[in-house]
Amino acid sequence: MQVFPGTAAARGGLPPMAGRLVRDGDGLCFVPRFAFLDGTTYTVTVEGTSAAILVRARSGRLAATEVTDICPTAAEVPSNLLRLYVWFSAPMSEGYAAGQVRLARDDGSIIAGALLPTEHELWDASRRRLTVLLDPARIKRGLAGHQDAGYPLRSGEPFRLVVDSGFRDAQGLPLRASAQRRYEVGGEERRHVDPGSWLLTVPPAGTSEPLQITFGRPLDHGLLARCLHVSGPGSQLVDGTPQIGPGEQSWQLVPRRTWASGSHQLIVDPVLEDLAGNSVSRVFDRDLARPEDQPRQARPVTVGFHPR
C-alpha cells in the first residue's frame, strides 16, 4: 500500500509519501512521516492500483506562520555566495521550497538555474530553518555548469531572496505574508577563514563583560551558531550566552560567571565557513596553482587571550 498526494500523483506524478505501515487489528494503518495537510486530497494505492481517494478537510484556522529572518543579514554578499537560510515561526511542510523560494532581480525577473535542485529539502530538526543552496556547479570554476552559464550572481547586480506566501506550514496553512531580503553583490571571496586575523576585545578579569570578536568579513550564520567555544584555566569551557553580531561579521560571549584571570582560549571548529563556503581548513573553489589555497589540517584552531 502507498499513499500519494493529489489524485494524479499515483499515475506518474509526485512520489509516494514517506511513512510506515502499522497493523491495526485485522487491517493496516499508514502512519506518515509528516502530517497530512488540511485541504489536501490523497490517493491510496494497492499494488499500483488506486484503491481510495481521501480528502482531509480544510481547517477554518487563519494563517499565523511567518518568516522571522533571512540570512545572511549582511547587506553585501560575494558573487560566489553558496547558501542562505530562511527561518519560520513554526514547523513547516516539506515539498514547497522549489515552488515558493526564488532569487529575483530588482525588476522582478527570476534568476533561472541559480538554486540547486534537490529531491530532499534541507531542514533543521525542528523544520523551522530551511537551508537554500545555490548550485555549486555554477560556482566552482572548471565545472560544466560554470563554463556554460557562469555564476548565478553578478557583481554589481543586486538580487532578492523571495519566499512566497504559498509556502505551507506543518498544518497545511499558507504563510501570513511573503518575505524577502535584498542584497548587493560584490566580488569573489576565495580565502581561508583565518582566526589568527580576527580582532579580540578581551574583557577584564572579575567582570561579566562580553568577549567580543570581529571577523573582518561575514561568516556563515548557521555554522557560527555552533563552531565557536571558549575555554578558561584548566581547559574548562566557559558557560555563557553567545550572540552573532550584525551582518555576521562579529560574535560575542557573555559569561554566566565573572571572567577568571589567567589563560583562556577561543576554540574554532575547522568547518566554520564564510558566505562562499571557504572554511578554516579549505578553500571551497581551490586554485591548484596557488600554494596559499592548499588544504590545512582539519583540526580545531585556538586563539589565546588573557583577561586581566
Side-chain angles (χ1 to χ4, degrees), residues 53-117:
I53 302 294
L54 307 176
V55 179
R56 185 176 176 92
R58 186 175 297 278
S59 170
R61 292 170 295 181
L62 297 177
T65 303
E66 58 189 0
V67 173
T68 59
D69 205 358
I70 296 174
C71 286
T73 61
E76 181 178 287
V77 298
S79 55
N80 55 338
L81 175 71
L82 182 61
R83 68 173 69 87
L84 305 101
Y85 299 97
V86 182
W87 272 265
F88 298 89
S89 61
M92 300 298 293
S93 293
E94 294 195 18
Y96 286 90
Q100 302 297 324
V101 179
R102 66 185 187 276
L103 301 189
R105 303 178 181 88
D106 277 349
D107 63 5
S109 61
I110 296 176
I111 304 176
L115 301 180
L116 177 67

Side-chain angles (χ1 to χ4, degrees), residues 217-240:
R217 57 171 148 156
L219 300 184
D220 182 275
H221 191 285
L223 292 171
L224 272 175
R226 64 178 179 87
C227 286
L228 298 180
H229 305 279
V230 176
S231 67
S235 299
Q236 294 294 315
L237 289 179
V238 176
D239 187 20

Side-chain angles (χ1 to χ4, degrees), residues 32 45 59 96 103 113 122 166 193 249 255 262:
T45 67
S59 170
Y96 286 90
L103 301 189
L122 303 176
V193 173
Q249 298 195 57

Side-chain angles (χ1 to χ4, degrees), residues 64-71 84-98 100-102 121-124 126-132 161-170 173-180:
T65 303
E66 58 189 0
V67 173
T68 59
D69 205 358
I70 296 174
C71 286
L84 305 101
Y85 299 97
V86 182
W87 272 265
F88 298 89
S89 61
M92 300 298 293
S93 293
E94 294 195 18
Y96 286 90
Q100 302 297 324
V101 179
R102 66 185 187 276
E121 298 167 355
L122 303 176
W123 292 96
D124 68 350
S126 71
R127 294 214 322 278
R128 295 188 180 194
R129 188 191 76 185
L130 174 68
T131 300
V132 179
L161 174 69
V162 181
V163 183
D164 289 328
S165 59
F167 214 130
R168 299 300 181 99
D169 66 16
L173 297 176
L175 299 176
R176 291 180 60 185
S178 61
Q180 61 179 271

Side-chain angles (χ1 to χ4, degrees), residues 70-84 153-160 181-189 191 216-220 246-249 274-276:
I70 296 174
C71 286
T73 61
E76 181 178 287
V77 298
S79 55
N80 55 338
L81 175 71
L82 182 61
R83 68 173 69 87
L84 305 101
L153 308 179
R154 298 286 190 272
S155 180
E157 298 182 10
F159 76 98
R160 302 168 190 265
R181 184 181 288 276
R182 184 179 186 272
Y183 297 97
E184 300 289 340
V185 181
E188 302 172 6
E189 181 58 79
R191 298 173 292 163
R217 57 171 148 156
L219 300 184
D220 182 275
E248 295 75 46
Q249 298 195 57
D274 64 14
L275 302 186

